[in-house]
Amino acid sequence: MNKITFEQYKSAIKVKYEEKKSEDVSGILLNPTPAQLRNLCLMIFDNLLSKSDENIFRLFFNVKEEESLRKSMERSDIARFRPIISFLKGEKDSENSVRIELAAILIDFNPRPYNKYLLNVKINEIGNVEVPSLMEKDKAGEKNLPLDKWVEKGFEPKNIGRFEKRKVIIFTVFLSLFFMGYTVKNIIFPEKECMMWDGNHYEAVDCKNEKPGSENSTSVEVLNENLLSFKKIEVNTNTVFFEKGKPIVWYGKSFDGNYEYFNQPGLHPETEKTLKPISQYIIKKYIHKQ
């Protein structure tokens, strides 16, 4: 099974957007403007939000829990919607998970957010495990029937061959254990749907414990498992910067103008500027001086 990546999730949202444009009677999604998307957010809010969607809204508009979400949306700078428009139209990609999740809400993409989309794919893959076909004799002779057709005809597992019955029981037990394990896991270890930058790496956190507007609110984002391996690293003249001629270190400037180095490409977690691949020029000019 290939791991469903966040890039595939973004692609699925873009495909849904193309479908949604032709279905949208309001015409907002056909050629959206920042002001129209802000108004669409207000309409979605008035039709009641799910808890996960509300979390995305509060993260995107940077609204504290005790503050009025609607009033903050009304006063918000509409320029913040421009990157979402560029993403949906395919003009410019985005690695900002909150923007991606808001885009999913605006076009009513399901299942969302990303972690639920990923879980849904895993469940579908388990459900697609093949069970050997069963044999039924009827007036037309012998023909193969899948398990669900036997159930429709009222056959119980005891009426099925011994070998086939065992296969059905094993599959049923396996599926039950999977869902039971997932339920118990969420009760004992609540699923962390957010993450935050913790100095040099992303840490998965419970959205309820890290509210927007808190001391660390600027780094609170929707969980992206691909970024949990993203780290800021210390470099020196002994650091390996290239493998097979390709850079394996990326760099960017912090708010105070210092160069910082990372183990993966992407956006600087604080400035949100795109990181650049290391070069011999940067190594000689800035790292050899250290």
Side-chain angles (χ1 to χ4, degrees):
M1 178 188 71
N2 292 326
K3 183 178 179 181
I4 303 300
T5 66
F6 193 64
E7 291 301 316
Q8 289 171 299
Y9 179 56
K10 293 194 295 184
S11 296
I13 292 173
K14 290 180 182 178
V15 170
K16 178 65 175 179
Y17 169 66
E18 293 301 320
E19 296 176 358
K20 197 75 175 178
K21 282 196 301 185
S22 60
E23 301 171 359
D24 181 30
V25 294
S26 68
I28 291 177
L29 295 177
L30 187 60
N31 190 24
T33 65
Q36 287 175 328
L37 288 191
R38 194 263 307 276
N39 291 339
L40 182 57
C41 283
L42 291 170
M43 286 189 286
I44 293 173
F45 176 82
D46 290 339
N47 287 327
L48 298 180
L49 291 170
S50 66
K51 189 60 181 176
S52 62
D53 286 353
E54 181 182 338
N55 285 336
I56 299 299
F57 270 46
R58 289 189 177 276
L59 286 169
F60 181 78
F61 291 102
N62 195 23
V63 182
K64 298 177 183 179
E65 188 173 17
E66 63 272 16
E67 293 178 344
S68 168
L69 178 54
R70 198 179 202 290
K71 288 182 179 179
S72 297
M73 290 163 61
E74 291 172 344
R75 296 193 300 262
S76 67
D77 182 2
I78 60 174
R80 67 174 62 224
F81 288 98
R82 286 177 184 147
I84 295 178
I85 294 173
S86 297
F87 165 73
L88 289 174
K89 289 185 173 182
E91 298 171 348
K92 189 176 180 180
D93 196 12
S94 175
E95 296 298 327
N96 187 303
S97 56
V98 175
R99 290 173 184 162
I100 302 303
E101 296 297 356
L102 187 73
I105 295 172
L106 290 173
I107 64 171
D108 195 25
F109 177 86
N110 280 297
R112 65 175 187 266
Y114 171 69
N115 58 343
K116 290 185 179 179
Y117 173 82
L118 189 61
L119 174 63
N120 184 71
V121 172
K122 290 179 179 178
I123 292 175
N124 285 340
E125 287 178 349
I126 291 176
N128 288 333
V129 174
E130 292 185 2
V131 178
S133 298
L134 308 173
M135 302 298 293
E136 176 197 14
K137 289 185 178 180
D138 62 8
K139 295 179 182 179
E142 286 190 344
K143 66 178 181 180
N144 292 328
L145 288 179
L147 177 61
D148 58 344
K149 296 300 181 184
W150 280 89
V151 174
E152 287 178 10
K153 292 177 175 290
F155 283 84
E156 297 292 335
K158 65 182 180 181
N159 296 323
I160 304 173
R162 203 181 225 177
F163 176 77
E164 303 299 342
K165 176 181 178 181
R166 185 176 301 172
K167 290 286 186 181
V168 173
I169 292 175
I170 291 174
F171 174 72
T172 303
V173 171
F174 173 76
L175 198 60
S176 299
L177 288 174
F178 172 82
F179 284 111
M180 183 182 297
Y182 183 78
T183 302
V184 172
K185 169 183 170 293
N186 279 293
I187 294 174
I188 301 177
F189 306 104
E191 188 170 4
K192 296 178 179 180
E193 296 184 349
C194 286
M195 65 181 184
M196 62 182 296
W197 182 247
D198 191 19
N200 59 7
H201 69 284
Y202 281 105
E203 188 77 26
V205 296
D206 188 344
C207 296
K208 296 179 181 178
N209 295 333
E210 301 293 341
K211 296 297 182 185
S214 64
E215 182 180 350
N216 299 311
S217 64
T218 54
S219 61
V220 177
E221 301 181 34
V222 176
L223 179 65
N224 180 350
E225 293 181 355
N226 295 327
L227 287 179
L228 293 181
S229 59
F230 179 87
K231 295 178 181 179
K232 182 167 73 173
I233 59 176
E234 298 294 330
V235 299
N236 54 49
T237 53
N238 296 321
T239 301
V240 177
F241 294 99
F242 302 91
E243 280 188 2
K244 297 180 179 180
K246 295 183 178 181
I248 56 173
V249 174
W250 285 259
Y251 71 94
K253 282 187 178 181
S254 63
F255 282 121
D256 56 12
N258 293 323
Y259 278 89
E260 296 181 323
Y261 305 90
F262 301 84
N263 67 335
Q264 293 178 196
L267 300 180
H268 191 289
E270 295 171 349
T271 67
E272 293 191 350
K273 298 284 182 65
T274 301
L275 299 176
K276 298 178 181 179
I278 199 72
S279 66
Q280 291 293 350
Y281 172 79
I282 294 295
I283 295 172
K284 291 177 182 179
K285 184 171 183 179
Y286 297 100
I287 298 175
H288 282 185
K289 286 184 177 181
Q290 295 178 358

